[in-house]
Amino acid sequence: MPALVLSDVLTAAPPGSDDCLRAAQHLMEAGFIRWDAVQNALHVSVEARAMLGDGLHDGVTVSRLIGLIGGSDAPRIQALWREALARRHATVEAEFSVSLFGGSVRHLRGVALCEYAADGSLAHALIGLQDVSAQGAVLQALSDSEARLEEAQELAQVGCWEWDYVRQQARFSAQALRMLRRPHDWAPDMQDVLALVPEDQRDWVVGLYKDAFANKTEILRYEVRHVEEDGTRELHTVARIGYSPKGQPRRLLASVQDITELKSYRRQLHSLSFFDPLTELPNRALFVDRLSQALIDASWHQQQLGTLLLDLDRFKDINDSLGHRAGDDLLKQAAQRLRQVLREYDTIARLGGDEFAVVLPDVRHPTDLGSIASKVINAFKAPFTISAQEVFVTVSIGGALYPTDAKDANQLLQHADAALYHAKGQGRNNFQFYSSDLTAQASARLTMESELHKALERHELELHYQPKFDLASGRLVGAEALMRWNHPERGLVPPMQFIPLAEDTGLIVPMGAWALRAACVAAADWNSRSSDPLKIAVNLSARQFPGGELVQTVREALSAANCQPQWLELEITESLLLDGHDEICGVLEELSQLGITIAIDDFGTGYSALSYLTRFPVQILKIDRAFIKELPSDRGNAEQLVKAIVSLGQSLNMALVAEGVETQAQADYLSGLGCEVVQGFLFGKPVSRSSFEQWVRAS
Ligand code: C2E
Ligand code: MG
Ligand code: MG
């Protein structure tokens, strides 16, 4: 396009006389003013006159023209004009408003093309004017609505932002910047945007976007936690992703909302609908839910599950005599006592009034339910202090067991309730189970528990001894000490009837210590005069290991009896070695260093993780009698196993003992395999200490 020479335009025909120019002015809604600075003459086109008001006409003065510019704009435009002339700007551009006759205001955009004389003074100016009132109104409306949007965003705690993939540019609303704690003039790149997500959740969020892009997902929602000095905030983002026709992400528009408060309300609501505000225990709704869930688990794992219903006896009396506040206080304290006696994974709930309920998952033995119920009853023995008074409150308990008593939650609760009713009828302060058998078993077990407590001090425990022989020579080499309970009414009780209970209650620790002392006394007695000493084996329970007192107990037993450590053998179970490696290994190492022999009892029944055998100081494997029982047989399984155990023992340089040998054929077979020591009814049953002594003397 040829350069526009202003003087050519100025010397052309007066405005309005040229049809083309007029048409252009009309089309563009523009007007022109020609200013001949030399002559100081203004020529105003018809269109410009329409814009500026009819007060203008050719020959009007410049000062009149400038006087039209709105009050607040006038100084700005005058300064701009002065500056442009001083610097000889060829074009000057400005927007301003003019006040028209009659009070109306119009927004105009003006562009002046200026030409200067040789001395630098302005010679001509051609000023184009355009009415932008309508545009201004649109822009104003837009900025008004943006402001309103911002305000709404601020109120709703919602911010929004967008990412333009083509320009690699982001735009954040003021509220979004506030929420994301970024400055108002923040101009982030992609990395900065990514860094908005806390580091620990960033990979996860990036993964979400990657998946969304891969699947062309348009809407993506996620929550991110911001842990900051002044607390944790949770921000919820909903992103809408726009794709190009080729499937590339093109634009991402996202809203972020601070949902910290919302979540906390939700939590409060949850806690109100599922927890009892007084005791802070789960309420009936949550209890039923947990019970149903636990039943599914129990059925899946084929476990038993117990439920107990508890009712405070004579709660109403306390409530009536001491007042409701005292009643509330009692309920709180009762809840506290329940929490103390039950396991962490049991659910305790307050069903309403003075009624509580418990879910006991994984009840191993049906009578465990009785132990727990009696623990609860005991927990209520101490008085409660309510309103500065001591009050005694007892509790009645009804229980039912899954799957024996019921198959679903409703039935289980109904049956426990029936049992509770029964307990109340039995004079309160007791427990009853839905199945009367279970009640009987549970109370028998409880009686046994309290009797076993006294058995030690009443000297009702005894050790019997079962001889062990060397197969090749037929020589007596030692004995295993086996515990018996000489019960005043029931006679000799075998260990399988009381050892598990002793283990459950922890009584096995003092009982086991007693067995060690008694066995050491016997061993010292038999061996001190003999040239061919016997090795006496004592069984240890895994429960004797924690607490770090075992080594000391063994040392004291040895020295009190004047028993040499090489006369003592300790039998442990395979499972112990798998449990707590380091601690157990340390204890066994110390015992072994004392000169005591360690044997693994019932070998072959536990987990066959053979690696542990080399890691622990073990010298003897006792093959479990379950395998010996099957020997010899043509079906082969037991034979293969025993063969494998013998060759394993031999290759690890361990001695082998076969227990439960009952027949000559078994003995012959074992001898053929190279198993050295045997123990079993074929050679001798466990007998009392005095009988064993006679035997030793005789042999
Ligand atoms: P165990 O340590 O495997 O003891 C061997 C058991 O097998 C003994 O049963 C013994 O009488 C039995 N037995 C021995 N030879 C034969 C046989 O030829 N045929 C059959 N059928 N059985 C035989 P007992 O005395 O009833 O002891 C059972 C379990 O009680 C012991 O198994 C042991 O695990 C535990 N136990 C016994 N005394 C103690 C003790 O003082 N402390 C600990 N923690 N557990 C003990
Ligand atoms: Mg044993
Ligand atoms: Mg055994």
Side-chain angles (χ1 to χ4, degrees):
M1 205 168 87
L4 182 73
V5 179
L6 205 51
S7 39
D8 293 350
V9 179
L10 294 177
T11 51
S17 63
D18 181 307
D19 287 344
C20 266
L21 187 59
R22 288 219 49 195
Q25 288 188 50
H26 183 73
L27 271 176
M28 296 184 65
E29 294 182 24
F32 287 97
I33 299 172
R34 287 198 308 202
W35 180 9
D36 183 344
V38 183
Q39 307 282 326
N40 198 16
L42 282 173
H43 302 282
V44 183
S45 75
V46 185
E47 288 77 9
R49 208 173 301 153
M51 277 177 226
L52 294 170
D54 281 337
L56 281 179
H57 44 81
D58 278 2
V60 73
T61 60
V62 176
S63 58
R64 169 84 183 93
L65 183 65
I66 289 180
L68 285 173
I69 294 178
S72 61
D73 284 346
R76 181 171 59 85
I77 299 299
Q78 280 169 17
L80 185 79
W81 186 238
R82 243 179 273 124
E83 161 105 10
L85 294 191
R87 290 172 182 265
R88 317 268 181 278
H89 285 173
T91 53
V92 187
E93 222 179 304
E95 267 180 37
F96 49 89
S97 48
V98 290
S99 315
L100 299 182
F101 189 73
S104 67
V105 174
R106 185 165 283 168
H107 296 277
L108 301 181
R109 203 171 101 82
V111 183
L113 294 174
C114 305
E115 210 168 66
Y116 299 89
D119 65 353
S121 61
L122 181 72
H124 311 283
L126 174 65
I127 303 166
L129 289 176
Q130 204 175 8
D131 188 339
V132 291
S133 300
Q135 258 178 48
V138 171
L139 285 174
Q140 186 58 46
L142 200 64
S143 92
D144 281 355
S145 80
E146 269 179 5
R148 270 202 299 275
L149 193 64
E150 272 297 344
E151 202 177 329
Q153 288 189 11
E154 195 179 333
L155 276 175
Q157 301 262 50
V158 181
C160 68
W161 57 274
E162 60 187 309
W163 177 258
D164 184 331
Y165 282 86
V166 182
R167 293 205 193 102
Q168 293 286 306
Q169 250 177 26
R171 233 187 70 142
F172 283 77
S173 76
Q175 178 61 17
L177 291 172
R178 262 195 299 276
M179 280 164 54
L180 297 163
R181 312 235 156 129
R182 294 296 185 274
H184 67 276
D185 54 353
W186 196 48
D189 60 16
M190 180 63 114
Q191 288 309 314
D192 298 329
V193 174
L194 261 180
L196 287 172
V197 180
E199 212 178 332
D200 57 328
Q201 299 150 81
R202 205 170 294 155
D203 285 350
W204 169 68
V205 171
V206 169
L208 287 181
Y209 277 103
K210 279 191 179 155
D211 286 353
F213 295 162
N215 300 320
K216 310 282 164 293
T217 307
E218 286 187 354
I219 301 281
L220 186 63
R221 293 166 210 273
Y222 55 91
E223 276 166 31
V224 163
R225 284 164 66 85
H226 293 257
V227 181
E228 279 141 13
E229 271 168 21
D230 53 348
T232 298
R233 293 180 310 134
E234 293 180 76
L235 299 185
H236 178 79
T237 299
V238 183
R240 178 193 289 276
I241 309 166
Y243 296 90
S244 70
K246 281 188 181 160
Q248 297 293 339
R250 186 182 255 171
R251 177 166 174 265
L252 190 154
L253 179 67
S255 73
V256 263
Q257 189 179 9
D258 189 327
I259 52 163
T260 319
E261 228 170 299
L262 198 74
K263 280 223 157 170
S264 114
Y265 284 140
R266 216 182 277 163
R267 272 191 287 271
Q268 278 174 32
L269 204 66
H270 175 269
S271 115
L272 275 179
S273 39
F274 290 109
F275 287 88
D276 164 40
L278 181 68
T279 58
E280 292 173 8
L281 290 176
N283 64 11
R284 185 183 285 272
L286 185 56
F287 177 78
V288 171
D289 184 64
R290 295 244 179 111
L291 176 61
S292 311
Q293 195 53 50
L295 280 169
I296 294 172
D297 283 357
S299 119
W300 179 253
H301 292 111
Q302 299 202 319
Q303 289 170 339
Q304 306 189 87
L305 175 149
T307 182
L308 299 179
L309 286 186
L310 290 75
D311 194 286
L312 303 188
D313 299 323
R314 300 200 180 79
F315 174 74
K316 195 175 171 300
D317 296 349
I318 293 169
N319 222 8
D320 291 349
S321 58
L322 297 179
H324 286 280
R325 197 161 295 158
D328 283 357
D329 199 11
L330 174 62
L331 289 170
K332 274 200 247 179
Q333 291 189 37
Q336 194 46 35
R337 289 199 189 178
L338 289 175
R339 277 197 201 97
Q340 277 160 5
V341 284
L342 293 161
R343 303 167 298 184
E344 234 171 274
Y345 50 90
D346 299 331
T347 295
I348 317 166
R350 179 174 169 226
L351 300 189
D354 59 343
E355 206 181 15
F356 295 87
V358 185
V359 184
L360 305 159
D362 189 15
V363 172
R364 245 161 284 160
H365 195 273
T367 53
D368 289 350
L369 213 54
S371 311
I372 295 165
S374 85
K375 254 198 220 164
V376 172
I377 288 178
N378 285 337
F380 280 74
K381 279 201 173 134
F384 289 84
T385 308
I386 309 276
S387 314
Q389 285 186 52
E390 286 204 337
V391 233
F392 286 88
V393 181
T394 55
V395 62
S396 297
I397 302 176
L401 192 68
Y402 165 90
T404 335
D405 297 339
K407 302 279 180 269
D408 64 47
N410 259 339
Q411 213 181 22
L412 202 61
L413 282 176
Q414 265 172 26
H415 288 177
D417 199 44
L420 174 62
Y421 183 76
H422 188 47
K424 291 261 176 199
Q426 293 287 307
R428 303 159 201 266
N429 192 27
N430 77 106
F431 65 80
Q432 294 291 325
F433 293 136
Y434 181 68
S435 108
S436 48
D437 270 6
L438 185 55
T439 310
Q441 273 182 53
S443 37
R445 192 172 137 110
L446 284 177
T447 315
M448 183 138 127
E449 192 180 314
S450 75
E451 288 173 346
L452 197 57
H453 267 284
K454 296 173 201 140
L456 250 180
E457 42 192 90
R458 290 184 185 163
H459 306 289
E460 290 170 0
L461 297 178
E462 289 177 14
L463 284 186
H464 280 202
Y465 295 87
Q466 184 178 29
K468 291 202 253 182
F469 292 91
D470 178 75
L471 245 188
S473 63
R475 203 165 46 90
L476 175 70
V477 290
E480 177 172 5
L482 294 158
M483 204 183 284
R484 303 287 180 262
W485 178 9
N486 199 351
H487 191 275
E489 286 133 41
R490 288 194 274 167
L492 269 197
V493 184
M496 291 326 288
Q497 283 178 29
F498 67 89
I499 297 264
L501 181 62
E503 288 188 320
D504 282 357
T505 52
L507 271 174
I508 194 69
V509 178
M511 283 166 61
W514 170 83
L516 276 167
R517 287 195 295 273
C520 286
V521 170
D525 191 20
W526 298 328
N527 289 338
S528 53
R529 278 159 279 139
S530 156
S531 57
D532 200 9
L534 299 174
K535 200 174 275 241
I536 305 303
V538 177
N539 291 284
L540 288 183
S541 157
R543 298 268 328 237
Q544 288 172 266
F545 279 78
E549 272 157 33
L550 183 59
V551 177
Q552 190 53 25
T553 307
V554 173
R555 272 216 189 94
E556 279 169 13
L558 288 172
S559 75
N562 222 348
C563 174
Q564 309 229 352
Q566 57 273 18
W567 298 341
L568 186 63
E569 181 176 312
L570 295 175
E571 294 190 6
I572 56 171
T573 54
E574 248 176 301
S575 56
L576 181 75
L577 301 187
L578 290 165
D579 273 3
H581 283 341
D582 289 346
E583 202 193 338
I584 306 282
C585 191
V587 173
L588 292 178
E589 206 64 69
E590 272 189 76
L591 291 171
S592 170
Q593 253 147 37
L594 288 177
I596 296 166
T597 310
I598 311 284
I600 303 185
D601 205 356
D602 306 337
F603 187 76
T605 52
Y607 310 84
S608 303
L610 294 178
S611 57
Y612 66 75
L613 279 183
T614 52
R615 214 177 308 145
F616 294 93
V618 175
Q619 296 84 30
I620 296 179
L621 294 185
K622 285 190 81 176
I623 310 169
D624 192 71
R625 59 179 183 280
F627 305 124
I628 307 297
K629 206 172 134 205
E630 304 290 323
L631 290 181
S633 96
D634 343 296
R635 265 170 280 125
N637 255 350
E639 281 184 13
Q640 294 306 323
L641 254 160
V642 173
K643 263 190 209 161
I645 295 174
V646 171
S647 61
L648 175 74
Q650 285 167 344
S651 65
L652 291 176
N653 220 1
M654 293 183 181
L656 289 146
V657 179
E659 61 179 9
V661 181
E662 293 185 357
T663 66
Q664 191 56 49
Q666 288 167 349
D668 292 343
Y669 184 84
L670 288 162
S671 155
L673 282 186
C675 173
E676 300 117 359
V677 178
V678 284
Q679 174 187 345
F681 292 172
L682 178 67
F683 305 98
K685 292 196 166 180
V687 291
S688 68
R689 180 177 165 182
S690 57
S691 312
F692 188 76
E693 263 169 16
Q694 282 171 16
W695 199 5
V696 171
R697 247 176 264 134
S699 69

